[in-house]
């Protein structure tokens, strides 16, 4: 039986490995791409490949393209195409190089997106999973690493950004052709382009790598807060990882309505422009962690790439862990352990819901890949020590540079450097779905902040603040408690808010009101939905805080609690917009509309402004906010309904499903039913 099993497994491995990469190695793809008015992509791509073994069939992935020409360096060639793969059947000997050319057009359904802004538009790509073949015939298999050089022609008033270095730009009357050059190979899913109205600021790493920070022309005040710490993190990661940054340059490009927070395309990270923030936003929502995460992927994911989804943690676990290390370097140990503690809480919740998964399970959740992955590396490093860990990472990246990796590729290097047998670690941390809570808690207890938060889970802090005679011991949030990157103070203040009967709760709340600590004051803004009269004056002061979350909560709660002062609160906040989703402006409009005594003659203008934020040229986060607000006001006009039905076709699935649900809900209302069904009919045509 055992013998049979071995045979069977060998057979499985062989058949799984009989991939095209065994016979053919694609060396380079040079692609020329332009765009027609109707969003058709017009492309011409030249493929250089090497026959590794004799073969008689070659396959290129290409989804729903129209092939206009298919030829080698001399002749037109015969091919088969089934809408997904182009198959070409030559007879080639081993160790020979060949050329292929494809001319095509395609209207991509995914992977390449066209978005409208108020006075311009954008085109950008998202290749992961394996989607690049929706606009550029390429090789979906991550194991074939190819050097991609893109030449893109577009309206000369726009900027075009792609992987690699810009080597020339040729303009004619109306268009410019941008020629980007890569010098090293990568998997196809990492190919990227972004086109839009941009400016850029260039900084340079300690090692001399140009770092290009793109921004919209109107956003120059947002460059510093958005890209804060970029150079420090870049320099830190290069030193910490011990292997020089592998690409010619590093570009970061914000785009409208991106699918995720960010994507680590080789040398060209694309991220959501919701992260283009002003100085006030920084404290509540900033790009620092995403910035570090996508940068870490330039090594873990782009330089060494998983062979398959079973080893996905080698990308996401590593990127999450190294981003945390970069933040630890900036913000200190308390921050680092507080984040590990938060990951632990999230993983524990997943576990308790019965959804715990193993890191090596390709179908695991993001929580497992990212957060359990980071934890596994944290624990492994504690186990083998800094020196062995760092040397192992360096050797692993060097040995497999521009290649593909499995978990064993990494573990072998760590075993070599540490002299330790890691079988048990692999079984427990990587192969098992069980969460090793005991080990996690033991590690967290090394840090004062994390240890405090763990103890507080079972022993609420306030409940045991009594002396031997059962008298309550007064204390201070700010001077008695360990600082702990605000997490400790915030958690004790939350406890005080939930226990108004505790004798010193009042003192703690007043201390927080009188402090200048934004996090503590924000806890009050969010925690006191009913504002006691005795705190009214202090609570009103929250409207001046440098935090959009604080102002939003304070404005709403003050408006609701003190009706006679509504005009005053509205007057005080009428010029504040908030985050990219306009959290404050949209709330303000709703409150202004709902306050009959405020600027009555402008109510219609306020309503029209609110409806304007549902327009497709607005970012979807803002549109969703406006739709939700109209929904709570219970008023949709035809323009808002048109924009809502349009939103049910949006490329972002979360926004799309939000819009669909709202359409279904409104369709139950006789007032909207027929208008909506007419709009839906028009959309189908
Ligand atoms: Zn990632």
């Amino acid at each position: 039986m055992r013998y049979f099993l071995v045979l069977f497994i060998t057979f499985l491995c062989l058949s799984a490995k009989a991939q095209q990469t065994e016979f053919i190695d694609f060396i380079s793809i040079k692609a020329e791409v332009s765009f027609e008015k109707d969003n058709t992509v017009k492309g011409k791509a030249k493929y250089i490949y090497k026959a590794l073994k004799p073969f008689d069939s070659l396959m290129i992935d290409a989804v729903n393209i129209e092939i206009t020409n298919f030829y080698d360096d001399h002749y037109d060639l015969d091919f088969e195409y089934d809408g997904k793969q182009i198959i070409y059947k030559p007879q080639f000997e081993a160790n020979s190089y060949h050329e292929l050319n494809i001319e095509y057009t395609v209207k991509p359904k995914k992977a390449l997106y066209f978005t409208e802004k108020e006075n311009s538009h954008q085109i950008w790509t998202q290749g992961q999973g394996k989607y690049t073949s929706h606009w550029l015939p390429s090789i979906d298999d991550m194991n074939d690493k190819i050097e991609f050089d893109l030449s893109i022609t577009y309206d000369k008033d726009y900027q075009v950004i792609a992987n690699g270095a810009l080597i020339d730009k040729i303009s004619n009357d109306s268009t410019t052709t941008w020629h980007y050059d890569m010098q090293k190979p990568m998997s196809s899913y990492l190919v990227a382009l972004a086109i839009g109205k941009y400016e850029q600021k260039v900084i340079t790493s300690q090692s001399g790598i140009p770092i290009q920070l793109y921004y919209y022309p109107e956003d120059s005040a947002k460059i510093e807060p958005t890209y804060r710490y970029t150079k420090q993190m870049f320099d830190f990661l290069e030193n910490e990882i011990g292997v020089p940054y592998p690409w010619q340059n590093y570009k970061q490009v914000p785009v409208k309505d991106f699918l995720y927070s960010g994507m680590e395309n080789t040398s060209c990270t694309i991220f959501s422009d919701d992260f283009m923030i002003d100085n006030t936003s920084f404290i509540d929502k900033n790009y620092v962690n995403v910035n570090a995460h996508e940068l870490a992927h330039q090594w873990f994911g782009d330089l060494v790439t998983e062979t398959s989804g079973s080893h996905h943690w080698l990308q996401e676990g590593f990127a999450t862990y190294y981003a945390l290390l970069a933040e630890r370097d900036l913000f200190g140990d308390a921050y680092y352990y507080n984040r590990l503690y938060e990951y632990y809480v999230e993983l524990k919740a997943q576990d308790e819901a019965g959804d715990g998964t193993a890191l090596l399970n390709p179908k695991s959740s993001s929580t497992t890949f990212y957060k359990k992955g980071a934890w596994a590396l944290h624990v492994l490093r504690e186990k083998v020590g800094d020196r062995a860990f760092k040397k192992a990472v360096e050797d692993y990246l060097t040995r497999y540079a521009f290649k593909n990796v499995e978990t064993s590729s990494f573990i072998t290097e760590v075993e070599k450097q540490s002299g330790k047998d890691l079988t048990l670690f692999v079984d427990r941390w990587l192969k098992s779905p069980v969460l090793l809570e005991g080990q996690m808690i033991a590690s967290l207890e090394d840090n004062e902040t994390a240890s405090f938060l763990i103890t507080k889970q079972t022993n609420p802090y306030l409940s045991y603040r009594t002396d031997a005679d059962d008298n309550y011991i007064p204390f201070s949030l700010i001077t008695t408690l360990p600082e702990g990157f605000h997490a400790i103070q915030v958690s004790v203040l939350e406890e005080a808010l939930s226990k108004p009967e505790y004798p010193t709760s009042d003192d703690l709340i007043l201390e927080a009101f009188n402090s200048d600590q934004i996090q503590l004051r924000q806890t009050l803004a969010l925690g006191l939905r009913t504002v006691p009269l005795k705190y009214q004056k202090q609570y009103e002061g929250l409207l001046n805080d440098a935090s959009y979350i604080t102002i939003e909560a304070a404005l709403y709660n003050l408006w609701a609690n003190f009706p006679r002062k509504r005009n005053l609160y509205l007057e005080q906040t009428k010029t504040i917009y908030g985050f990219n989703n306009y959290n404050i402006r949209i709330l303000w409009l709703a409150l202004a509309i709902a306050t009959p005594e405020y600027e009555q003659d402008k109510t219609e203008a306020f309503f029209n402004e609110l409806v304007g934020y549902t327009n497709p040229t607005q970012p979807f986060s803002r549109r969703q906010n406006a739709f939700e607000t109209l929904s709570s006001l219970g008023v949709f006009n035809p323009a808002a309904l048109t924009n809502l039905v349009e939103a049910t076709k949006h490329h972002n699935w979360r926004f799309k499903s939000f819009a669909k649900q709202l359409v279904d809900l409104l369709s139950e209302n006789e007032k909207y039913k027929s208008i909506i069904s007419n709009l839906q009919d028009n959309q189908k045509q």
Side-chain angles (χ1 to χ4, degrees):
M1 188 63 202
R2 199 187 151 83
Y3 180 65
F4 173 76
L5 205 68
V6 170
L7 257 186
F8 181 68
I9 289 169
T10 315
F11 171 75
L12 268 183
C13 293
L14 280 178
S15 61
K17 275 203 167 164
Q19 301 289 345
Q20 173 159 290
T21 46
E22 257 190 65
F23 300 89
I24 301 165
D25 178 19
F26 278 84
I27 309 288
S28 69
I29 300 181
K30 285 187 197 303
E32 294 168 23
V33 177
S34 61
F35 301 88
E36 308 282 295
K37 287 241 158 12
D38 67 343
N39 295 350
T40 298
V41 179
K42 211 174 148 191
K44 180 178 168 185
K46 179 198 270 195
Y47 304 77
I48 303 292
Y49 61 95
K50 182 183 179 185
L52 302 171
K53 294 179 185 170
F55 74 96
D56 56 13
S57 177
L58 171 152
M59 176 281 295
I60 293 174
D61 297 294
V63 181
N64 293 330
I65 68 168
E66 194 82 43
I67 300 169
T68 47
N69 278 305
F70 189 83
Y71 51 97
D72 63 13
D73 39 352
H74 295 293
Y75 305 107
D76 283 346
L77 304 169
D78 289 332
F79 63 93
E80 292 162 24
Y81 181 53
D82 63 0
K84 285 184 182 147
Q85 294 184 325
I86 304 165
I87 295 170
Y88 162 55
K89 296 186 168 167
Q91 294 280 347
F92 286 135
E93 295 303 314
N95 289 317
S96 52
Y97 287 83
H98 306 278
E99 174 184 325
L100 257 185
N101 295 278
I102 304 175
E103 291 175 21
Y104 66 97
T105 59
V106 61
K107 273 190 103 153
K109 287 227 171 65
K110 54 163 71 166
L112 189 140
Y113 299 90
F114 299 84
T115 59
E116 293 300 319
K117 282 171 57 83
E118 260 167 306
N119 300 307
S120 64
H121 48 266
Q122 291 182 354
I123 304 175
W124 47 263
T125 58
Q126 168 57 30
Q128 195 178 26
K130 300 172 180 175
Y131 298 140
T132 297
S133 53
H134 283 254
W135 64 275
L136 173 63
S138 48
I139 306 298
D140 285 351
D141 185 347
M142 296 179 283
N143 296 288
D144 200 344
K145 293 208 168 185
I146 305 165
E147 188 194 320
F148 283 88
D149 298 321
L150 297 185
S151 282
I152 300 150
T153 301
Y154 203 71
D155 181 333
K156 69 175 172 42
D157 293 334
Y158 281 75
Q159 299 287 309
V160 174
I161 304 145
N163 312 93
L166 177 66
I167 52 171
D168 65 37
K169 244 169 83 175
I170 298 165
S171 295
N172 65 26
D173 291 349
S174 60
T175 63
T176 300
T177 298
W178 303 64
H179 184 182
Y180 279 90
D181 170 65
M182 286 283 291
Q183 289 173 348
K184 300 286 184 186
M186 63 178 172
S187 304
S188 295
Y189 78 90
L190 294 165
V191 174
L193 65 81
I195 300 174
K197 299 262 178 157
Y198 291 106
E199 309 265 347
Q200 59 165 309
K201 178 183 164 138
V202 185
I203 57 176
T204 309
S205 76
Q206 208 169 44
S207 58
I209 299 287
I211 304 171
Q212 295 164 256
L213 312 172
Y214 286 87
Y215 60 95
Y216 302 145
E218 65 273 21
D219 279 351
S220 56
K222 296 183 177 173
I223 308 169
E224 189 284 321
T226 300
Y227 291 113
R228 195 172 291 171
Y229 307 127
T230 297
K231 182 177 149 42
Q232 288 98 308
M233 293 194 294
F234 195 104
D235 293 339
F236 169 81
L237 284 179
E238 265 203 314
N239 285 322
E240 169 65 33
I241 292 168
V243 171
Y245 176 79
W247 316 102
Q248 296 130 291
N249 57 29
Y250 187 51
K251 300 172 286 298
Q252 300 187 76
V253 192
V255 300
K256 176 176 176 263
D257 290 357
F258 196 49
L259 299 163
Y260 310 105
S261 297
M263 174 63 205
E264 68 273 18
N265 312 295
T266 309
S267 79
C268 185
T269 284
I270 290 178
F271 67 97
S272 161
D273 65 8
D274 277 352
F275 286 109
M276 283 303 295
I277 51 152
D278 62 14
N279 202 35
T280 304
S281 302
F282 187 87
I283 193 148
D284 299 317
K285 179 187 178 76
N286 62 56
Y287 179 55
V288 175
N289 184 267
V290 177
N291 188 341
H293 179 103
E294 308 310 339
L295 177 57
H297 270 311
Q298 298 296 320
W299 287 267
F300 305 103
D302 298 3
L303 177 63
V304 298
T305 308
E306 66 196 26
T307 52
S308 73
S310 301
H311 307 285
H312 197 47
W313 83 286
L314 293 177
Q315 304 189 171
E316 296 308 341
F318 275 69
T320 305
Y321 176 67
Y322 278 88
L324 261 191
L325 292 184
E327 289 183 304
R328 180 184 197 164
D329 179 60
L330 294 170
F331 308 129
D333 284 354
Y335 178 91
Y336 174 80
Y337 278 95
N338 184 29
R339 289 300 287 259
L340 279 181
Y341 170 75
E342 287 167 5
Y343 292 179
Y344 155 74
V345 170
E346 193 181 326
L347 285 160
K348 197 174 152 198
Q350 174 179 267
D351 212 45
E352 282 166 0
D355 298 330
T357 44
L359 270 169
L360 298 189
N361 174 355
K363 297 208 162 65
S364 275
S365 64
S366 303
T367 299
T368 297
F369 285 134
Y370 288 63
K371 290 162 186 175
K372 195 176 181 184
W375 256 104
L377 291 169
H378 169 79
V379 167
L380 180 62
R381 187 177 187 144
E382 281 187 337
K383 190 179 172 67
V384 302
D386 280 346
R387 194 211 59 83
F389 184 87
K390 286 181 73 166
K391 185 74 175 78
V393 168
E394 189 186 323
D395 288 357
Y396 159 71
L397 288 171
T398 308
R399 182 179 303 257
Y400 297 99
F402 310 107
K403 296 195 177 88
N404 294 79
V405 283
E406 300 189 340
T407 298
S408 61
S409 321
F410 171 64
I411 295 297
T412 307
E413 297 300 331
V414 186
E415 285 186 329
K416 219 183 282 174
Q417 287 306 324
S418 65
K420 289 200 162 95
D421 177 0
L422 295 176
T423 313
L424 210 59
F425 169 82
V426 171
D427 285 347
R428 288 181 173 171
W429 274 95
L430 308 181
K431 290 186 179 166
S432 163
V434 174
L435 197 64
L436 289 135
E437 265 195 73
Q439 269 191 53
M440 296 168 97
I441 288 174
S443 173
L444 289 169
E445 277 172 346
D446 288 346
N447 177 269
E448 189 183 26
T449 306
S451 162
F452 183 97
L453 294 171
I454 287 175
T455 310
K456 201 170 163 300
Q457 277 185 333
T458 43
N459 296 302
Y461 187 73
L462 296 183
S463 66
Y464 56 86
R465 298 291 298 163
T466 48
D467 63 18
D469 304 324
D470 264 2
N471 294 317
Y472 289 96
I473 305 169
F475 70 102
S476 153
L477 288 169
I478 293 158
T479 57
T480 317
L481 292 173
E483 200 260 350
F485 214 83
H486 312 292
I488 292 176
Q489 289 101 321
V490 165
S491 72
V492 174
L493 179 59
E494 279 169 347
E495 205 185 321
L497 285 167
S498 70
K499 287 181 185 160
E501 72 284 3
Y502 179 76
T504 58
S505 279
D506 252 358
D507 294 346
L508 296 175
I509 290 167
L510 271 176
E511 186 193 10
F513 266 128
N514 293 330
S515 80
D516 57 1
Q517 296 204 12
I518 293 196
Q519 288 88 348
L520 285 180
R521 294 169 59 82
Q522 185 174 96
T523 308
L524 297 171
L526 296 167
L528 286 170
R529 297 187 65 89
T530 304
V531 184
L533 256 181
K534 60 182 172 183
Y535 298 141
Q536 181 182 357
K537 200 168 155 36
Q538 281 97 338
Y539 199 96
E540 284 171 346
L542 297 172
L543 286 178
N544 299 317
D545 273 24
S547 155
Y548 292 136
I549 290 180
T550 303
I551 297 171
E552 183 188 354
L555 173 60
Y556 180 78
N557 289 334
L558 285 168
W559 184 91
N561 280 270
F562 307 108
R564 284 166 49 183
K565 294 187 79 177
R566 284 175 179 173
N567 279 8
L568 194 76
Y569 301 140
L570 289 168
E571 204 48 31
Q572 206 183 330
T573 48
K574 67 180 180 186
T575 58
I576 309 173
Y577 281 74
F579 300 119
N580 200 33
N581 67 359
Y582 285 180
N583 62 323
I584 295 175
R585 182 62 183 174
I586 287 174
L587 169 65
W588 187 94
L589 289 168
L591 298 179
I593 291 166
T595 310
E597 61 277 19
Y598 184 74
E599 307 251 2
Q600 225 168 9
D601 53 327
K602 291 195 183 146
T603 305
E604 198 184 330
F606 294 153
F607 182 73
N608 289 336
E609 183 184 338
L610 183 56
V611 170
Y613 295 139
T614 65
N615 193 281
T617 58
Q618 302 288 315
F620 76 78
S621 56
R622 193 180 299 162
R623 296 176 71 190
Q624 180 160 339
N625 207 353
F627 283 129
E628 278 166 350
T629 303
L630 287 170
S631 183
S632 59
L633 289 171
V635 212
F636 280 81
N637 69 2
L641 290 174
T642 306
N643 292 337
L644 180 62
V645 171
E646 192 274 350
T648 61
K649 300 284 175 200
H650 199 273
H651 60 259
N652 185 292
W653 68 268
R654 278 197 199 91
F655 180 54
K656 178 164 112 177
S657 68
F658 160 82
K660 281 184 170 171
Q661 276 177 22
L662 188 52
V663 163
D664 289 348
L665 189 74
L666 294 181
S667 296
E668 288 167 16
N669 186 328
E670 284 305 321
K671 201 162 61 171
Y672 303 129
K673 199 175 172 178
S674 67
I675 310 175
I676 289 178
S677 86
N678 281 339
L679 287 166
Q680 285 171 324
D681 289 345
N682 289 342
Q683 198 176 44
K684 279 179 202 136
Q685 283 160 14

